[in-house]
Amino acid sequence: MSTNDKLSRWVEEVERTVCPDEVRWCDGSDEENDRLIQLMLAEGTLHILNPRTYPDCYLHRSHPTDVARTEHLTFICASQKEDAGPTNNWMSPAEARERVGKLFQGCMKGRVMYVVPYLMGPTGSPYSRVGVEITDSPYVVANMRIMTRMGRPALDHLGTGANFVRGLHSLGDLSPERRFIAHFPETREIWSVGSGYGGNALLGKKCHALRIGSWTGRQEGWLAEHMLILGLESPAGDVMYIAAAFPSACGKTNLAMLVPPRSQERWKIWTVGDDIAWMHPGDDGRLYAINPEAGFFGVAPGTSAKTNPNAMSMLKRNVIFTNVAVTERNEPWWEGADGELPRRAMDWQGKRWLSDGKEKAAHPNSRFTVPARQCPSISREWENPRGVPISAIIFGGRRARLTPLVFEAFTWSHGVFVGATMASETTAAATGAVGVVRRDPMAMVPFCGYNMADYWAHWLAMARRLRHPPKLFHVNWFRRDPSGKFLWPGYGENLRVLRWIRDRVQGRGEAVETPIGFVPAAGSLELDGLDVTPAALGPLLSVEQEPWKDEVRNVKEYFAKFGSRLPAALAAEVEELSQRLRKA
Ligand code: TSX
Ligand code: MN
């Protein structure tokens, strides 16, 4: 079914292992999609939503034990354990082929094996990459059709070559006991079994675009990052592109689709991507970013007309919802949605739900899958094969204390240190304790396919390939006063912080030098039409010596985990920060 003999041979080999009743090559066409939808509706794995208010929208309920990525079952199977590093689980390739391979033996008996060629990145881009996912889940096929460019664009890009990521996925028996997500970066293979959910099963996203992508990026001299990409358009019409990395529960999708407040309505934000950026040095010495994805796989709870009006308007048609609740009008619903609580609904498991109970109706990690082109703020440049030139990179975290609203790093190397020491407080949406500070360098801990210390070295080395590197910043929308009140209104008002960042990139914008970096000088943040007084800015922008000294100690402890692989430049950055704090 393919004119590429390497691809055909691999598909035949997999077929002999998994023994399906039938093999189907997917082209991503409407007809194919319609047939899959009909099949899932008949099977009961998909439910139609109100066709009048939500045309072509469907609900999928995943297995109750299969509702999120499973980091403890995710492995980097590099031949050397040290290449996976202290932040990844490691299994030797031989052991993985034995243990995980066993679970694929005959696993598609009685089922259909779908072959899904997909392209990560815009059609015709030199930066785009091909993957092929073999799966026995029609839900995965329907989602991959939204999240990637499926079929022809991928096969055309591949041509007769062998450069494609080989992804093998099976639902298996959906038991967490027999669930593995194994990556073989040296041979560019992904084996995922036992889960049908999101990042575990849609192999183009976290597995390919980040874990395999980051490994390939280091080999080839580019960056695969867990970043949104946005364009900031000024009233004069110029657009500056910014990439930003945040751990979960910081509102990355909301920032990517930000709607400026009334008082700033001559400014505009354009969305290029909300989750992943592949960034390459261009001929002009600047860093160019593409969004490898073609859709958004966003968290539903908390999404509303207030937090993300652009998302709300794109969620009215052609959406696959996963694990949300449904109202009596057969419309999707989640905690934090607009309007009043429905009195009764069906919860994410399809059980009757009453609003007086304590149970949540939607799963906290419930999702929408939607084509990016439906986003009202989608950038004209989002499919530009050359990418967009990045002028600033933002690192961010959720910190009630310590980190100011925004600061600028002194140098590239200092900025890499800022990214490498990022941390965020856990929220109820994640599992485990609430309010605990966790380090999550560049928001890549769950997604970096190799040793994080080598990854930092790669970041440091990138500066040599960029005559005009982006400036590096850190933001914190979540600083609180002693009574627990948020000091910054956030959401659309974050535009004011982006404007300061733009001013700094353009050599305007006043700043005060502190031990941790440059913070906005009094009067340099636009506060027009905002009820944040210049006096309230003090606690929002302050850099306190003692807590930062504690932070330095904590960072040193953290860096010690990486032993001798820690780049000397980062060890030097901690020392210099420590000295600046002592002198301050
Ligand atoms: O997404 C958020 N952003 C980024 C928006 C572009 N959230 C939601 C985070 C969970 C996903 C935020 N929450 C942001 C934010 O900037 N800031 C906050 C904290 C906050 C919450 C409520 C208020 C203010 C700040 N409400 C009032 O002040 C009335
Ligand atoms: Mn993500």
Side-chain angles (χ1 to χ4, degrees):
M1 272 299 284
S2 161
T3 52
N4 182 309
D5 55 331
K6 291 111 192 161
L7 174 54
S8 304
R9 245 181 289 134
W10 173 65
V11 170
E12 284 160 20
E13 189 188 308
V14 170
E15 185 184 348
R16 281 193 296 274
T17 304
V18 301
C19 311
D21 279 12
E22 194 188 328
V23 177
R24 254 186 249 167
W25 288 71
C26 298
D27 60 11
S29 66
D30 290 346
E31 297 70 37
E32 174 185 278
N33 191 245
D34 291 345
R35 278 197 306 274
L36 283 171
I37 300 276
Q38 291 311 317
L39 171 80
M40 287 187 278
L41 291 172
E43 276 181 351
T45 51
L46 208 61
H47 306 274
I48 194 159
L49 291 167
N50 190 321
R52 210 165 36 75
T53 50
Y54 287 86
D56 300 304
C57 290
Y58 300 92
L59 166 70
H60 170 75
R61 295 192 183 104
S62 72
H63 191 276
T65 62
D66 187 27
V67 294
R69 284 182 297 104
T70 40
E71 281 169 32
H72 63 293
L73 304 173
T74 302
F75 292 85
I76 300 299
C77 308
S79 43
Q80 302 299 311
K81 182 169 195 222
E82 295 70 33
D83 287 340
T87 59
N88 281 308
N89 301 311
W90 177 79
M91 204 189 288
S92 78
E95 184 185 351
R97 285 186 199 283
E98 164 69 27
R99 277 176 69 188
V100 186
K102 215 166 54 191
L103 301 173
F104 283 109
Q105 297 293 334
C107 70
M108 295 190 194
K109 274 186 194 134
R111 314 176 73 141
V112 177
M113 171 176 129
Y114 299 96
V115 182
V116 180
Y118 63 89
L119 185 68
M120 298 309 287
T123 304
S125 171
Y127 306 135
S128 295
R129 294 302 166 104
V130 176
V132 180
E133 176 167 355
I134 292 178
T135 179
D136 53 11
S137 161
Y139 166 79
V140 164
V141 179
N143 277 271
M144 288 293 282
R145 177 171 173 271
I146 297 173
M147 295 305 296
T148 73
R149 285 123 179 131
M150 191 198 281
R152 193 77 274 157
L155 294 176
D156 286 349
H157 195 100
L158 179 62
T160 54
N163 187 10
F164 63 96
V165 171
R166 292 155 167 79
L168 174 54
H169 169 256
S170 173
L171 295 171
D173 62 6
L174 287 178
S175 161
E177 309 294 310
R178 284 171 292 283
R179 181 178 299 163
F180 290 98
I181 300 91
H183 304 72
F184 304 87
E186 287 143 337
T187 49
R188 299 188 189 173
E189 289 171 277
I190 305 157
W191 284 6
S192 168
V193 63
S195 169
Y197 191 84
N200 285 345
L202 312 177
L203 301 186
K205 194 176 179 64
K206 305 301 193 179
C207 300
H208 177 167
L210 288 176
R211 298 200 189 95
I212 302 287
S214 61
W215 181 291
T216 309
R218 182 173 61 140
Q219 287 180 321
E220 300 177 356
W222 51 278
L223 297 167
E225 298 300 324
H226 191 204
M227 291 182 183
L228 65 86
I229 309 164
L230 62 78
L232 168 61
E233 182 177 329
S234 78
D238 57 277
V239 182
M240 177 180 286
Y241 293 94
I242 299 175
F246 292 87
S248 55
C250 289
K252 219 162 109 197
T253 302
N254 298 343
L255 184 63
M257 299 175 189
L258 182 146
V259 176
R262 188 79 58 73
S263 65
Q264 312 278 310
E265 65 191 358
R266 284 155 47 74
W267 293 80
K268 183 109 190 61
I269 295 291
W270 297 106
T271 309
V272 179
D274 83 326
D275 196 38
I276 301 175
W278 281 357
M279 303 195 288
H280 291 72
D283 295 336
D284 59 359
R286 302 186 69 185
L287 186 63
Y288 283 81
I290 60 162
N291 171 8
E293 302 190 282
F296 304 112
F297 183 66
V299 174
T303 307
S304 70
K306 189 178 150 280
T307 61
N308 194 337
N310 280 320
M312 290 313 287
S313 61
M314 72 181 175
L315 295 180
K316 293 282 181 205
R317 64 208 147 88
N318 306 320
V319 188
I320 300 173
F321 292 95
T322 301
N323 293 343
V324 300
V326 273
T327 65
E328 286 176 301
R329 301 181 52 191
N330 200 23
E331 292 174 346
W333 189 85
W334 47 81
E335 278 69 22
D338 296 296
E340 50 202 88
L341 270 182
R343 257 187 326 113
R344 55 177 86 226
M346 293 249 262
D347 75 5
W348 65 277
Q349 297 190 62
K351 299 197 195 113
R352 266 203 305 185
W353 177 88
L354 297 171
S355 59
D356 52 2
K358 289 179 179 30
E359 299 288 314
K360 293 220 151 103
H363 189 277
N365 194 33
S366 55
R367 299 278 171 155
F368 52 77
T369 318
V370 62
R373 68 183 128 76
Q374 286 183 201
C375 179
S377 61
I378 197 74
S379 166
R380 286 183 293 284
E381 296 292 313
W382 88 280
E383 296 190 281
N384 186 332
R386 300 188 46 203
V388 295
I390 298 297
S391 299
I393 294 176
I394 300 175
F395 299 115
R398 174 188 278 267
R399 301 292 292 264
R401 289 180 188 86
L402 196 75
T403 41
L405 177 63
V406 57
F407 65 93
E408 178 191 340
F410 297 122
T411 60
W412 179 268
S413 156
H414 177 234
V416 173
F417 169 76
V418 169
T421 55
M422 265 170 67
S424 208
E425 284 153 13
T426 53
T427 65
T431 48
V434 175
V436 176
V437 178
R438 283 230 185 99
R439 299 246 163 241
D440 187 359
M442 283 84 165
M444 280 290 279
V445 166
F447 309 116
C448 186
Y450 61 104
N451 190 313
M452 200 103 213
D454 298 344
Y455 165 78
W456 295 328
H458 178 46
W459 260 86
L460 290 162
M462 282 299 287
R464 290 197 285 280
R465 323 174 99 254
L466 298 169
R467 263 174 296 120
H468 306 287
K471 281 191 184 287
L472 306 179
F473 296 84
H474 188 280
V475 303
N476 174 22
W477 317 132
F478 303 93
R479 204 170 190 182
R480 299 178 194 241
D481 71 11
S483 77
K485 188 175 171 291
F486 286 112
L487 286 160
W488 180 250
Y491 298 101
E493 306 296 351
N494 294 337
L495 181 86
R496 300 164 192 275
V497 174
L498 300 180
R499 282 183 60 186
W500 183 80
I501 287 171
R502 174 175 174 273
D503 287 347
R504 292 298 293 170
V505 167
Q506 295 183 339
R508 302 176 289 110
E510 281 191 77
V512 179
E513 185 172 341
T514 78
I516 67 163
F518 295 112
V519 302
S524 68
L525 265 183
E526 170 70 76
L527 297 179
D528 244 26
L530 195 62
D531 60 1
V532 174
T533 61
L537 270 187
L540 195 53
L541 295 175
S542 71
V543 177
E544 293 164 30
Q545 212 165 343
E546 289 312 312
W548 272 100
K549 284 182 178 169
D550 291 341
E551 177 78 357
V552 164
R553 278 187 282 276
N554 193 291
V555 165
K556 281 184 181 165
E557 256 171 56
Y558 182 69
F559 276 176
K561 292 190 211 310
F562 299 90
S564 62
R565 275 170 106 130
L566 181 77
L570 292 189
E573 289 291 343
V574 209
E575 277 318 314
E576 284 162 35
L577 171 59
S578 175
Q579 275 168 31
R580 290 192 300 266
L581 284 163
R582 256 181 280 143
K583 277 192 229 138

